Amino acid sequence: MPAAPRRLSPQTLEVLTALEGGAGDWLYGLEIAAVTGLKSGSLYPILARLADHGLLEDRWVESDRPGRPRRHAYRLTGAGRAALRAARLDPAAFKLGAAPA
Amino acid sequence: MTDRLADTLLRLAARIAPSERRPWIEAVRAEADLIGDRSEALRWAAGGLLAAMGWAARKDLVFLAALAFMGYCGLLWVQDIYLQAAVAKGAPFLDAAVASQIWCYLPISALFAAWRPDRAVVVGALMPLFAWIVFVRSLLMGIPSQWSFDLWCLYESTKYVFVGTALGAVVGWALRRAVPKRPTTD
């Protein structure tokens, strides 16, 4: 189901910036939370929304310790990097999910 | 290993979350598993539960209504503080205030149950929750006049919730039988 365009919140911008700081590496939720200071209750809805809009890709990573659950890792897509650039240029006008101008 | 309470919160979150969001709760759980500090892991898990509630509220109107009801309970809780003070002072308006409060349970539980009769049992269990919480709290406080009053409130609320839920469920099922289902388009 396509989500309606919505203004980018400062928290979402922080998450995008944190993912950009990963320089293409896969980051885990705890790492993003440590960088942004966001709690899980705010972080995961943002990550889910960004994934819905194709701005980040996610994958499951097997734990190196047996018996531990797989971890979910994230990194920016090309669209995510473009969205971040656009949002930095004009944060007030940028809307998540809106067609690019 | 995830803390037991944190694990319970995340199990609840996984039940509440819409199916397409459950992998995200698994992601929260995997991270919670790596947090060494118990209170931090609990906070992380509670955040996951909040996220699940938010997703569910957007998807399911019944869940949104249940959340609204919990908010309503919160308001009653605040009101209860004033009622407890009134009990201590023997205020004359008390009976009317409590009666009006308890009477709210009947129409609300009836509406909830009529709306989703398949969840009438959940509605019935959830509605007197506030009265249970107040009763247990006053028991823990150990003041007999308060807990006997709250026990009465619990009895009255449960009675009205039972009547309201049963009436609502009957009306809801009857309506569903009477009104044919709309055909789906795809």
Side-chain angles (χ1 to χ4, degrees):
Chain A
M1 183 179 67
R6 53 187 296 167
R7 201 178 289 273
L8 205 65
S9 69
Q11 291 83 0
T12 307
L13 200 56
E14 280 178 40
V15 172
L16 285 171
T17 306
L19 287 164
E20 187 195 38
D25 286 342
W26 293 91
L27 294 180
Y28 298 114
L30 278 177
E31 293 170 331
I32 302 169
V35 173
T36 58
L38 291 173
K39 308 287 181 203
S40 57
S42 309
L43 177 62
Y44 281 90
I46 290 173
L47 289 173
R49 201 157 50 239
L50 290 175
D52 288 347
H53 288 288
L55 302 188
L56 66 80
E57 54 183 328
D58 57 282
R59 68 168 186 174
W60 290 97
V61 181
E62 290 297 334
S63 174
D64 46 2
R65 280 178 286 181
R68 297 276 190 179
R70 293 178 306 160
R71 295 181 80 183
H72 209 201
Y74 319 94
R75 74 176 177 191
L76 277 188
T77 59
R81 276 188 288 277
L84 183 57
R85 277 196 297 275
R88 280 181 179 147
L89 282 175
D90 193 353
F94 182 81
K95 283 194 175 171
L96 203 59
Chain B
M1 188 73 183
T2 312
D3 175 77
R4 207 167 176 172
L5 184 54
D7 191 56
T8 305
L9 289 181
L10 288 169
R11 276 174 198 273
L12 182 62
R15 286 182 72 92
I16 289 172
S19 56
E20 71 274 13
R21 294 297 191 203
R22 279 184 198 142
W24 292 93
I25 298 300
E26 284 310 306
V28 177
R29 182 198 287 270
E31 300 304 295
D33 202 56
L34 295 168
I35 300 173
D37 182 59
R38 184 174 188 262
S39 61
E40 193 55 43
L42 263 178
R43 274 198 290 272
W44 186 265
L49 180 59
L50 275 180
M53 287 166 77
W55 286 322
R58 282 185 198 97
K59 180 112 182 172
D60 186 350
L61 281 176
V62 171
F63 190 81
L64 184 62
L67 277 186
F69 171 70
M70 295 304 278
Y72 166 75
C73 281
L75 287 176
L76 288 185
W77 182 289
V78 173
Q79 187 193 349
D80 177 69
I81 293 168
Y82 293 103
L83 281 176
Q84 297 286 3
V87 171
K89 290 177 185 167
F93 66 88
L94 189 65
D95 285 352
V98 175
S100 63
Q101 180 177 308
I102 287 171
W103 262 97
C104 291
Y105 283 110
L106 198 148
I108 292 172
S109 52
L111 276 173
F112 270 68
W115 189 3
R116 289 293 293 268
D118 53 327
R119 296 201 182 175
V121 175
V122 179
V123 173
L126 190 67
M127 289 293 285
L129 189 65
F130 167 71
W132 269 109
I133 292 170
V134 171
F135 173 58
V136 170
R137 188 193 60 170
S138 62
L139 264 185
L140 292 176
M141 286 164 68
I143 305 169
S145 63
Q146 275 189 5
W147 68 251
S148 59
F149 170 73
D150 288 333
L151 180 63
W152 172 73
C153 282
L154 175 60
Y155 164 71
E156 291 292 312
S157 344
T158 307
K159 190 171 74 182
Y160 285 109
V161 164
F162 178 79
V163 173
T165 308
L167 279 176
V170 168
V171 171
W173 280 121
L175 279 174
R176 269 158 186 75
R177 285 173 68 94
V179 181
K181 265 189 182 175
R182 268 188 241 164
T184 50
T185 49
D186 49 3

